[in-house]
Amino acid sequence: MNVLARALCILLILIGAVQGCGLWAAEGGASKGKRLFEEHCMVCHGQGGKGDGYRLFNPPPADLTSPAVQEKLDAALLRTIHEGRRNTAMGRWKYVLSDEEAREVLAYIRSLSR
Ligand code: HEC
């Protein structure tokens, strides 16, 4: 292979890698939270987080898009996600989600209100 062909080859690999990185970055952040939400929370809280997943619990799953929830501080919501809520179907997720994953899910929940 001559030098030019080799340089072209390296360039193509670099472009490929950069595009790969771009896609990877787009998958991260809020969309990672989305994936986690769909995997763990959607059954109860519904696809859009409106509490319209599994409605037969008493109390029913919270509407995560409502002002009542969105007005709460991150710390309060994270605590509920970590510890769950007594005498409700909201379980504790601290053994399933890492701190970082809980924050990613919360970022997704925040994005639902907009
Ligand atoms: C088995 C059903 C179920 C699943 C699964 C579930 N939840 Fe819940 N969640 C509930 C119920 C029921 C409530 C309402 C509790 C109440 O009324 O006090 C609730 C409440 C909440 C609240 C509190 C809202 C507030 O007003 O403070 C948050 C935040 C929340 N859920 C987030 C999540 C997240 C994030 C997940 C996934 C990791 C999840 N939930 C999975 C049933 C569920």
Side-chain angles (χ1 to χ4, degrees):
M1 217 194 288
N2 66 32
V3 178
L4 195 67
R6 199 171 296 188
L8 193 67
C9 195
I10 289 171
L11 191 70
L12 285 175
I13 290 169
L14 281 176
I15 290 171
V18 168
Q19 278 180 345
C21 288
L23 283 176
W24 181 80
E27 281 294 301
S31 66
K32 184 164 178 211
K34 180 172 193 239
R35 210 179 58 233
L36 290 167
F37 183 86
E38 285 170 353
E39 204 172 320
H40 300 299
C41 323
M42 200 171 80
V43 271
C44 290
H45 288 283
Q47 197 172 13
K50 290 196 170 294
D52 54 359
Y54 190 83
R55 294 167 191 259
L56 298 180
F57 290 117
N58 182 21
D63 175 356
L64 300 176
T65 66
S66 69
V69 173
Q70 292 288 338
E71 278 165 8
K72 291 185 183 167
L73 297 176
D74 283 4
L77 296 176
L78 283 173
R79 193 176 332 116
T80 303
I81 295 168
H82 274 292
E83 303 292 338
R85 191 166 284 163
R86 237 173 216 273
N87 301 321
T88 75
M90 180 60 193
R92 52 173 64 183
W93 289 91
K94 65 179 173 187
Y95 302 117
V96 178
L97 302 176
S98 68
D99 286 3
E100 197 196 328
E101 287 172 329
R103 277 193 297 272
E104 274 155 0
V105 173
L106 181 60
Y108 179 65
I109 290 171
R110 291 291 189 204
S111 78
L112 293 174
S113 72
R114 278 173 238 132

